[in-house]
């Protein structure tokens, strides 16, 4: 039960990232690279405060595993922010976690792991629900630039998830990853050019960095060692549904029958997958 609660809270934090990033970039006018940099910096500060408060040795920062994690995190941060210039929060979350699902399942097959039939079935049901919920209808095309940026972000987040499975110190690893990630994201910001930052956008980026990213990612790294690889991927399919519900509650977006049906499919698919045993 504690693991379920931890994963549920973490998925809500991930969904909040999509909503906050969309608000900061598309509504409050924050430059996406500036948003990514402030978000990363706020996350690093929060995580190292938590590290300093605990009664444990300081984590090693400059290791190869940390460098890999920081690079994956930096690519995700940049792609995630750039995508929300043109993508809605729900569609962006669909692309992000759909790509993650494909990469995680592919990696599980490459590793030679046995994936039970119910887990495959649950993943198919959940992906069907996401398609029902979020795939654009009518004549409106998916913006190519935003879709490409989010696809890259999704692959990078999958790599970050896979790297976190072997971490013995989740909080220390996440804090180190954010610290090493910050100069990479800042360099990307300086390369594309800096623009004035609106105060509401800064506040939104700080919340996204310190709480829903920093604390959320630390909780995710804590949960990962207890989750099979495919379950870690499937669980994150709940994030787009949560993101759309948050849009209904906080952004006054309409609650439709399509949303209810798709949400039932996604959550049902997750339930089916979690009943599978190796």
């Amino acid at each position: 039960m504690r693991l379920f609660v931890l994963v549920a809270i973490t998925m809500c934090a991930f969904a909040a990232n999509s909503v906050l990033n969309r608000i900061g970039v598309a509504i409050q006018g924050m430059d996406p690279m500036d948003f990514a940099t402030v978000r990363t910096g706020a996350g690093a500060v929060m995580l190292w405060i938590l590290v300093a408060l605990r009664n444990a040795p300081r984590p090693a920062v400059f290791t190869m595993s940390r460098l890999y994690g920081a690079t994956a995190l930096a690519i995700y941060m940049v792609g995630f922010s750039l995508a929300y210039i043109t993508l809605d929060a729900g569609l962006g979350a669909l692309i992000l976690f759909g790509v993650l699902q494909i990469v995680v399942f592919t990696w599980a097959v490459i590793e030679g792991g046995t994936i039970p039939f119910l887990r495959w079935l649950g993943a198919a049901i959940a992906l069907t629900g996401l398609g029902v919920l979020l795939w654009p209808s009518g004549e409106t095309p998916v913006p190519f630039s935003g879709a490409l940026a989010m696809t890259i972000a999704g692959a990078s987040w999958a790599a970050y998830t896979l790297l976190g499975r072997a971490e013995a110190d989740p909080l220390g690893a996440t804090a180190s990853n954010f610290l090493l990630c910050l100069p990479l994201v800042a360099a990307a910001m300086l390369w594309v050019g800096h623009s004035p930052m609106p105060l509401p956008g800064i506040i939104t980026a700080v919340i996204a960095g310190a709480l829903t990213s920093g604390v959320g990612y630390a909780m995710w790294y804590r949960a990962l060692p207890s989750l099979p690889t495919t379950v870690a991927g499937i669980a994150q399919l709940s994030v787009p549904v949560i993101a759309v519900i948050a849009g209904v509650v906080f952004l006054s977006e309409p609650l439709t029958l399509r949303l209810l049906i798709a949400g039932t499919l996604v959550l049902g698919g997750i339930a089916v997958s979690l009943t599978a045993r190796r």
Side-chain angles (χ1 to χ4, degrees), residues 50 81 174 225 243 269:
L50 296 177
S81 290
T174 311

Side-chain angles (χ1 to χ4, degrees), residues 221-267:
Y221 259 33
R222 182 178 181 84
L224 278 173
S226 302
L227 296 174
T229 300
T230 50
V231 172
I234 293 168
Q236 293 183 83
L237 290 174
S238 64
V239 173
V241 175
I242 300 171
V244 172
I245 293 173
V248 171
V249 175
F250 298 108
L251 302 178
S252 300
E253 296 178 354
L255 178 63
T256 64
L257 179 62
R258 182 183 181 190
L259 170 61
L260 295 175
I261 294 173
T264 301
L265 286 172
V266 171
L267 297 178

